[in-house]
Amino acid sequence: MDRAGIDVQVLSLTAPGVEQSDPAEAVALARDANDQVAAAVRRHPDRFAAFATLPTPAPVAPADRERIAQHNAERLLGLVP
């Protein structure tokens, strides 16, 4: 990143994401993806930010909204409808 002149990289789950999964699997996969990317952001907060993976086949439960909000403090960004 330094040689390329990149200060910060925004991480994101690529396609196919979780939208093709059944609701229960989508929630589990999204949580796992968000936890892993949040760990990377925590290790290098000055170099990484990330978009949260939202389980679109399932409504985002209040607990998931809280989890995403917590990750937002760690530069994990998500749009919650």
Side-chain angles (χ1 to χ4, degrees):
M1 289 174 50
D2 291 332
R3 275 188 280 150
I6 298 169
D7 295 324
V8 176
Q9 182 175 3
V10 179
L11 307 173
S12 178
L13 183 65
T14 60
V18 299
E19 65 276 355
Q20 301 296 325
S21 302
D22 67 73
E25 184 179 29
V27 169
L29 291 171
R31 283 181 182 158
D32 186 49
N34 291 336
D35 289 346
Q36 288 187 40
V37 76
V41 171
R42 273 194 299 280
R43 283 192 305 273
H44 304 283
D46 56 331
R47 301 309 298 263
F48 294 129
F51 288 111
T53 298
L54 301 178
T56 55
V60 178
D64 291 328
R65 289 177 193 259
E66 289 177 22
R67 187 182 191 104
I68 290 168
Q70 175 189 3
H71 286 323
N72 279 345
E74 300 162 354
R75 297 171 50 143
L76 181 66
L77 311 172
L79 300 175
V80 180

